[in-house]
Amino acid sequence: MMKTLITTHALPLLLLLLQLLQPLQCLRIDDMSGVLEDIREEYAEYLEILYGTRPTRSPSIEKFKRLNIVDPLGRPFYDDHYCTDEMRANIIHSKFRCLQEHYFLTMQYEELKNICLNEFVPCKNGIKKCKMSTTLEGGLYCKLIEGTQMPECTYESCYKRGYVLITCRWHNETQEFIPESVNDIVTPPE
């Protein structure tokens, strides 16, 4: 009679099978030694946003530029997928949930920074904490039309020309007020 692998090595095979059927263990990576040096800060910021309980840090100058300023010569604004593509490419979200609306501006950062020196005006919600540009500026208004979680967010793109409303925050490193967020693009009455 010929013996098979199962009958001659039943116990080791049973132990191996039991070990293979164990549920996978998920590990939270707190050691960032494997993360590239140039993305450590961004990785730490995402962890803080996802798991933190305190308010998020104010945006840096470079982050504000990346999230809010676009090159008017790079891609035509009449492209219906502009907002959806830009929101995904720049990973713009709130704890991986889709934003209801977002603005991309075509103006230079220095021009935006100068708006922070203007007087306070009411924001879209009526609270008087915004600063408004004194000249008409161009920008792209992105409105959520579908989706709730990244990356399933789909946005409608609409080019607007008007006065830019922004909020500003004191920046300790440069000792000046810098743009924090874009609140609205107010179209002047015809």
Side-chain angles (χ1 to χ4, degrees), residues 43-81:
Y43 176 75
E45 186 176 315
Y46 276 133
L47 287 179
E48 179 62 32
I49 289 169
L50 291 175
Y51 300 113
T53 56
R54 58 189 170 103
T56 57
R57 296 183 335 200
S58 62
S60 68
I61 295 169
E62 290 306 313
K63 183 176 177 184
F64 180 85
K65 289 179 184 178
R66 180 178 60 87
L67 299 181
N68 296 286
I69 297 176
V70 292
D71 180 11
L73 304 175
R75 181 176 176 184
F77 290 132
Y78 57 81
D79 182 353
D80 291 338
H81 302 287

Side-chain angles (χ1 to χ4, degrees), residues 87-99:
M87 296 291 276
R88 286 181 184 162
N90 291 310
I91 313 170
I92 302 172
H93 59 83
S94 176
K95 295 188 178 185
F96 293 105
R97 297 190 58 78
C98 304
L99 295 179

Side-chain angles (χ1 to χ4, degrees), residues 5-18:
L5 184 62
I6 294 175
T7 58
T8 58
H9 301 291
L11 186 58
L13 285 173
L14 180 61
L15 291 174
L16 178 64
L17 183 62
L18 287 175

